[in-house]
Amino acid sequence: MTKTTYFKKTIQDRGKTVLDTPILVEVVYGLISRDCKGMGICKISAVNSNTHQRSNSLCGSSLAYLKKVKDNLLRFDFLRETISEEQFALRFSSGAFYMEEPFCFSSELSELLGLENVCMAEGEYALSHTVLSIGLEFEGRYPFVVV
């Protein structure tokens, strides 16, 4: 595993390199099973803030800081300035973020968080709003049975 500039500081956790600071990620909305249409997350990619080119997905995307809060508890802080008015109205204005189906993180992203095979379950997630960001906490579960 190589270190890149979007990672500020690492710590050792169970013999693995784990981030001590949040990871800047681009979250592409939608569902993989429906070509990124629908409610949920289609893709998450760690990005370098200096050279990042936003996705051209028709479903929209925004930047967020992703971090491990404790154990399996993870948190997104979506940066308001990167959320379009359309995406805000569709995905954040109700006070909840909806996932129509589970989304599993890449193995690289899971490892950076100090976890293995992180998945975000389908369901409704409460949001917390600040002036600069929208927070979403979830418990990163090990993979569901995938057929």
Side-chain angles (χ1 to χ4, degrees):
M1 179 174 66
T2 60
K3 293 181 185 176
T4 55
T5 57
Y6 48 76
F7 305 127
K8 296 179 186 173
K9 182 179 172 188
T10 60
I11 58 173
Q12 291 297 315
D13 182 16
R14 293 181 288 247
K16 296 181 181 177
T17 301
V18 180
L19 293 179
D20 189 19
T21 56
I23 306 166
L24 182 61
V25 295
E26 179 180 31
V27 178
V28 177
Y29 304 112
L31 303 173
I32 294 172
S33 66
R34 289 196 258 160
D35 292 328
C36 288
K37 292 177 178 63
M39 298 300 285
I41 295 174
C42 183
K43 181 180 177 183
I44 301 174
S45 303
V47 299
N48 179 330
S49 60
N50 298 327
T51 60
H52 179 62
Q53 295 286 327
R54 292 285 295 270
S55 170
N56 60 1
S57 169
L58 297 177
C59 289
S61 68
S62 62
L63 297 179
Y65 284 104
L66 173 64
K67 68 180 176 181
K68 179 178 172 182
V69 178
K70 63 179 180 179
D71 299 325
N72 288 345
L73 184 64
L74 303 173
R75 179 179 177 87
F76 284 108
D77 283 305
F78 293 92
L79 303 177
R80 279 189 182 262
E81 67 186 19
T82 68
I83 302 171
S84 71
E85 288 181 33
E86 177 186 5
Q87 292 303 322
F88 181 84
L90 181 63
R91 303 184 191 282
F92 298 100
S93 64
S94 71
F97 187 89
Y98 298 96
M99 296 282 294
E100 290 183 80
E101 62 188 32
F103 175 81
C104 292
F105 288 37
S106 69
S107 58
E108 179 184 59
L109 200 52
S110 294
E111 280 184 31
L112 287 170
L113 293 164
L115 301 168
E116 293 180 16
N117 305 317
V118 174
C119 290
M120 189 174 174
E122 65 185 75
E124 182 178 317
Y125 294 87
L127 298 172
S128 59
H129 294 259
T130 68
V131 173
L132 299 176
S133 67
I134 300 172
L136 180 159
E137 288 188 355
F138 68 98
E139 198 165 320
R141 297 286 186 194
Y142 291 104
F144 311 99
V145 176
V146 178
V147 180

